[in-house]
Amino acid sequence: MNDQLVIGGKELSSRLFIGTGKYYSDEVIPEVINRSKSEVITVAVRRVDLNRSEQHVMKYIPKEMTLLPNTSGARTAEEAVRIARLARAAGMGNWIKIEVISDQKYLLPDNEETIKATEQLAAEGFVVLPYMSPDLMAAKKLEEAGAAAVMPLGAPIGTNRGLQTKELIKLLISESKVPIIIDAGIGKPSEAAEAMELGAAAVLVNTAIAAAKDPVAMAEAFAQAVEAGRTAYRTGMATKSETANASSPLTSFLDSI
Amino acid sequence: MSFYLIYKQLKDVPIETYMQSVSEADVRVVLTKQELNQEDLLALLSPAAERILEEIAEQAHRLTVQHFGKTIQLFNPLYVSDYCVNHCTYCSFSVTNEFERKILTEEEIEVEAQTLRATGIEHVLLLTGESKQHTPVSYLKDCVKILRKYFSSIAIEVNPLDTEEYEELFAAGVDGVTVYQETYNEDIYKQYHVKGPKRNYLYRLDTPERACEAGMRSVNIGALLGLDDWRKEVFLMAMHAQYLQTTYLGTEISVSLPRIRPTIGDFIPTTAVYDRYLVQCMLALRLFLPRSGITLSTRESPELRDHLLPLGVTKMSAGASTEVGGYSQDDKGTNQFEISDERNVNEISEALIRKGYQPIYKDWVHL
Ligand code: SF4
């Protein structure tokens, strides 16, 4: 069954995005990619030594992966924009995950600055995926600003607390024209499955895989969970659409009156 | 507002009595909580907690991996001057100690920076003794201009400055400030700081706030363990860090736990901070401030540093030199204090990898 997600003109078969931070060694990354079947991987630009290509994490990422450099460390829209430009200039492609965090205590994204950065970078031709606090109005503004997808948090970064923002995320999923990708908070495969069942277009999982005792096995568990959740969602969708197409058993008599 | 107002309230809290009343069961309750309060912190620093360190360590390890992954950021100090106008009883650089003082020229800094950079280190901590006469802000700016060519992140540990001066340095490319209060105990502060501007307790206490106000990305604070009762010092330092984090949301606050090391003079710490206590301090800090960085310097021995790794550490100096010109000059200056872990950057990296950790050389980009 063909179920592809299209972002920035790219067709993706896997709906699991993964990260490169927090691993005990970058050497494990190729196998994590392999078992997760993921096609999109996020990389913190600030961790990459752009002058010394032999040293950085990118040497462990196969060419066919779509790189999603992120602007972690940015506290303002301006800083995020500058980091994005650096990434593109360094040959990391034109996808960018905007992360603007001006609160170092809870690490919550600053939606206002994120919208500004999205506007700017989309205008510069980037495929922009902004990380945000799940607020419907902010999500709509990001969409208008040219975001290719919107990435609300399930729970604050690194907390592994799952989909604490579920009710808000549901609204985003039903109201958005762009794909909604759940980023941050997912700590277990079952939570990834739940996000997919809700209709998320994809999930981004870093800590839960990278900090697991066996990251490779955990990557596989997440791949399975994401597929299961997606299949469940599609099955649900089908039922819903059949109902909508059927004649109205309770009111069809009105037509014959 | 200043942390001083909070300090004045906390100062008279009967901390010892409270800590004595804590039981092991109380500490276990703390381990089940998500957000900890002041009393929880005291429980973790109490004698009762000392008896169940392993249980606390498990939690600290879990939280550290959760928030930082299995990574350790490496940085190194770079001393450019050992001139100091203060007399701190515990430090070799004290104005009362006679030795030939040095201040690096621009050319010497360039060589020193190149040598340090060649080890792979990208995060540098620029240090001086505390003397505004010898190392004024203009000199620091010149240093930063050179260091920017070689390093991704530059922090400073110099004499406390005014907000405007920090702003100037931030604009020049400094992104972090380290300043230790040494001891939070205002009553004994002056006994250790005999002479010089450092005697001004309040100006020093407010230094991290001025750095935050100037927009610094990271501010690192610490108490020099051994000058007063370590339980009280760590309690106050943690409260200080929490206050800064809550007041200045944009700045990353991290903490250090330096212990007194041998110096030129014969200073003997007033309170012994054994390894076991150091571990307890670190665990308490990790649980109370789960997202804060904790720095571990080369003051500690290789064996101890290796064992402390999983307990909360997130940043380490590696192959550090604590003397002026220490990386490149034959005729090095005087050590500020003796280091204990003499392994070079490669050796430390290898040790980290063996322990299942990834050394991070670079974690910021110059913008
Ligand atoms: S601790 Fe600092 S201020 Fe005190 S003597 Fe040493 S260098 Fe000078």
Side-chain angles (χ1 to χ4, degrees), chain A residues 20-26 44-52 55 71-75 79-80 82-83 86 102-107 156-161 207 210-212, chain B residues 34-35 65-71 117-122 170 215-218 242 245-246 248-253 291 353 356-367:
Chain A
T20 48
K22 301 192 179 180
Y23 284 97
Y24 61 88
S25 161
D26 288 344
V45 178
R46 65 177 183 169
R47 286 248 168 119
V48 179
D49 189 340
L50 302 168
N51 302 318
R52 300 207 288 182
Q55 281 223 342
T71 66
S72 79
R75 298 187 298 185
E79 286 183 350
R82 283 156 81 179
I83 296 174
L86 269 175
S102 45
D103 132 53
Q104 303 302 317
K105 189 175 182 195
Y106 301 104
L107 301 179
I157 289 184
T159 57
N160 287 350
R161 288 192 197 151
T207 305
Chain B
Q34 256 175 13
E35 296 279 328
V65 173
Q66 183 180 324
H67 291 293
F68 297 89
K70 293 202 161 173
T71 65
R117 181 67 189 83
T119 64
I121 290 290
E122 289 246 17
F170 180 68
M216 288 293 167
R217 305 179 53 82
S218 63
Q242 190 195 39
Q245 191 64 95
T246 312
Y248 303 97
L249 283 175
T251 306
E252 211 180 289
I253 306 297
R291 278 171 290 267
I353 293 165
Y357 281 78
Q358 177 175 188
I360 303 284
Y361 288 84
K362 175 177 176 295
D363 203 17
W364 185 235
V365 274
H366 266 320
L367 293 176

Side-chain angles (χ1 to χ4, degrees), chain B residues 167-178:
Chain B
E167 278 168 359
E168 249 182 85
L169 288 167
F170 180 68
V174 171
D175 46 59
V177 168
T178 288

